[in-house]
Amino acid sequence: METINENQLLDKKIRLLKLKQSNDFEILRDQFNLTLESLKPINIVKESIDDFKKSKEIKHSILESTLGIAGGYLARKMIAGKSAGIFKKISATVIQYLVTNFITNKAEKINLNEKDI
């Protein structure tokens, strides 16, 4: 067996460390490029839209809100009509608020009951 002197051993370790450093740098550069690409505004918007498409909770929430607002609006229009006095307008606004909250709360309860089944 041949003996390895300390200088040869040191040179070998230096080469291994340089290879490791080069490899780590490549990995770091690739990760940087991936991060840079994911932070572009168009990619952030695309990811948000994909998340929205996949999320049933958001869809249900928007549906509940839309139903509530539409129901409240219709209630207001039925009460106030086109030409109404100040008292009728105020009472129609209050009823619109109450109907909107009622429909939204009922929709949430129905949604929760569906999840339990």
Side-chain angles (χ1 to χ4, degrees), residues 1-16:
M1 262 181 116
E2 125 184 14
T3 59
I4 301 175
N5 67 19
E6 290 181 13
N7 285 338
Q8 290 174 334
L9 183 62
L10 187 59
D11 286 340
K12 185 177 180 179
K13 287 187 177 188
I14 289 172
R15 280 194 310 272
L16 288 173

Side-chain angles (χ1 to χ4, degrees), residues 14 25-26 44 56 60 67 76 94-95 101-102 106:
I14 289 172
F25 179 75
E26 288 292 324
I44 292 173
K56 292 181 181 179
H60 285 294
L67 287 174
R76 179 182 181 162
V94 170
I95 290 174
N101 284 336
F102 177 77
K106 286 295 181 182

Side-chain angles (χ1 to χ4, degrees), residues 3-67:
T3 59
I4 301 175
N5 67 19
E6 290 181 13
N7 285 338
Q8 290 174 334
L9 183 62
L10 187 59
D11 286 340
K12 185 177 180 179
K13 287 187 177 188
I14 289 172
R15 280 194 310 272
L16 288 173
L17 284 174
K18 284 184 179 182
L19 282 173
K20 183 181 181 321
Q21 180 186 22
S22 174
N23 188 29
D24 288 348
F25 179 75
E26 288 292 324
I27 293 170
L28 182 64
R29 187 177 63 197
D30 291 342
Q31 185 61 45
F32 175 77
N33 288 332
L34 285 173
T35 304
L36 190 65
E37 187 68 25
S38 71
L39 291 177
K40 288 183 179 177
I42 188 72
N43 291 330
I44 292 173
V45 170
K46 284 180 183 178
E47 287 179 26
S48 298
I49 291 172
D50 288 342
D51 290 344
F52 177 76
K53 287 179 182 177
K54 293 176 185 175
S55 176
K56 292 181 181 179
E57 294 172 358
I58 294 174
K59 289 179 185 177
H60 285 294
S61 176
I62 290 174
L63 179 64
E64 292 167 4
S65 299
T66 304
L67 287 174

